[in-house]
């Protein structure tokens, strides 16, 4: 996902079930993903799942036992080149053979294999840890994940405004800046399949927001973009909710009854109003769970500090009362009995 898990340990206790996300009726997207395991040492699932969803498009997911982040990655194949959106949370190919799996899905072999472009929705490690598996491969280009690289590669001249395009050969993908969760975030819209790839900008899980103003602007930008376009489904970076809309505990390797991956155009269109209602700390608005984890952590730390100070004051008060009752001064000297 995004921020270190310890930041959100306290946040999870605040979460309550809410209405589930709108579901799509598209059968080929209704994949039942492996739910991980309560004990991953016993019969761990395969480290990587791959599903073809038509239109030369694949969804890949690292298993919950390989990484609790269990990120989704998307492979779009055109006639001139293919594009992988995100490359996961696991660097070691011995644990998750991502590059090998992706190359096998590409048309052609050896030097005639279709060129591959590896892009990222944003710079968080769980979306780019696999870069090293692709870095030295022939006919593979890995796009940088820092803001400067993102702007340069897509030729954004007025970031975060504007929409860029990537041509894959008979397949055009629009690139829409979506900072807020992270300043480098972009989303992708595939004109052929009308799928919208939203990364951590929108997903069935905790929407961690670093910059609320940027998030609100991105939500409006995306809503304006999709308003007059068809959207088969919105596919994000993770699933952190169950079918009732409750969050799985942070860092869990076990997601029984996991929510569907696919969200809808209606969800995207509802995001601007939800983002407007975000109080800067923690807000649940319909299916959206919006959190500024840094601020929540600071608030929790302050609350903990106040409780500790109150406890210390209470203990000192009680000790003094007991000493006074037993006739002992603060320095340990037994006081003479009071004279009447
Ligand atoms: Zn993520
Ligand atoms: Zn993230």
């Amino acid at each position: 996902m995004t921020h270190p898990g310890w930041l959100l340990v306290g946040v999870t206790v605040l979460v309550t079930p809410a209405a589930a996300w709108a579901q799509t009726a598209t059968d080929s997207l209704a994949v039942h993903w492996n739910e991980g395991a309560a004990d991953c040492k016993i019969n761990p699932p395969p480290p990587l799942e791959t599903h073809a969803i038509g239109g030369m498009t694949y969804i890949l997911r690292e298993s919950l036992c390989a990484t609790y982040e269990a990120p989704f990655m998307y492979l779009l194949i055109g006639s001139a080149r293919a594009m992988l959106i995100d490359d996961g949370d696991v660097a070691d190919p011995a644990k998750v053979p991502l590059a090998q799996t992706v190359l096998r899905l590409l048309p052609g072999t050896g030097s005639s294999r279709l060129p591959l472009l590896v892009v990222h929705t944003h710079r968080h490690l769980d979306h780019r840890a696999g870069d090293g598996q692709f870095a030295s491969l022939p006919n593979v280009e890995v796009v940088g994940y820092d803001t400067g690289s993102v702007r340069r590669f897509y030729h954004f001249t007025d970031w975060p405004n504007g929409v860029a395009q990537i041509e894959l050969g008979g397949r055009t993908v629009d690139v829409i800046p979506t900072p807020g969760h992270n300043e480098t975030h972009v989303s992708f819209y595939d004109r052929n399949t009308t799928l919208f790839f939203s990364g951590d900008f929108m997903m069935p899980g905790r929407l961690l927001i670093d910059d609320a103003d940027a998030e609100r602007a991105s939500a409006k930008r995306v809503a304006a973009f999709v308003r007059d376009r068809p959207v088969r489904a919105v596919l994000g970076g993770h699933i952190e909710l169950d079918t009732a809309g409750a969050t799985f505990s942070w860092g869990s390797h076990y997601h029984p009854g996991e929510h569907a991956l696919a969200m809808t155009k209606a969800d995207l269109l509802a995001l601007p109003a939800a983002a407007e209602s975000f109080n800067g700390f923690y807000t649940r608005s319909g299916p959206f769970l919006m959190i500024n984890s840094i601020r929540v952590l600071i608030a929790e730390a302050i609350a903990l500090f106040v409780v500790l100070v109150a406890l210390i004051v209470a203990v000192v008060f009680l000790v003094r009362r007991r000493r006074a009752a037993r006739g002992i001064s603060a320095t340990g000297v037994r006081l003479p009995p009071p004279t009447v």
Side-chain angles (χ1 to χ4, degrees), residues 163-218:
V163 177
Q165 282 79 39
I166 299 177
E167 297 295 340
L168 302 178
R171 188 169 194 174
T172 302
V173 178
D174 293 297
V175 187
I176 305 110
T178 44
H181 167 74
N182 179 258
E183 77 274 13
T184 65
H185 205 293
V186 292
S187 296
F188 300 90
Y189 176 75
D190 175 28
R191 295 184 189 178
N192 282 19
T193 60
T194 73
L195 291 168
F196 191 97
F197 302 96
S198 56
D200 289 359
F201 169 66
M202 195 177 86
M203 59 180 179
R206 304 170 182 86
L207 304 186
L208 302 184
I209 297 172
D210 278 357
D211 184 335
D213 288 338
E215 177 79 11
R216 292 186 184 105
S218 293

Side-chain angles (χ1 to χ4, degrees), residues 81 83-86 117-123 141-168 173-178 183-189 197:
R81 59 178 171 170
M83 182 171 83
L84 178 67
I85 300 173
D86 288 337
L117 183 66
V118 179
V119 299
H120 313 92
T121 53
H122 63 297
R123 72 180 307 157
E141 180 181 4
V142 180
V143 177
Y145 49 78
D146 61 285
T147 309
S149 296
V150 170
R151 290 187 193 186
R152 276 193 302 277
F153 182 78
Y154 299 113
H155 303 293
F156 285 113
T157 55
D158 185 27
W159 177 274
N161 299 306
V163 177
Q165 282 79 39
I166 299 177
E167 297 295 340
L168 302 178
V173 178
D174 293 297
V175 187
I176 305 110
T178 44
E183 77 274 13
T184 65
H185 205 293
V186 292
S187 296
F188 300 90
Y189 176 75
F197 302 96

Side-chain angles (χ1 to χ4, degrees), residues 327 335-340:
L335 300 171
T339 54
V340 181

Side-chain angles (χ1 to χ4, degrees), residues 21-22 24 198 202-204 233-236 261-265 267:
W21 294 72
T24 60
S198 56
M202 195 177 86
M203 59 180 179
V234 181
L235 304 174
L261 168 65
M263 300 163 291
T264 67
K265 176 177 174 176
D267 293 323

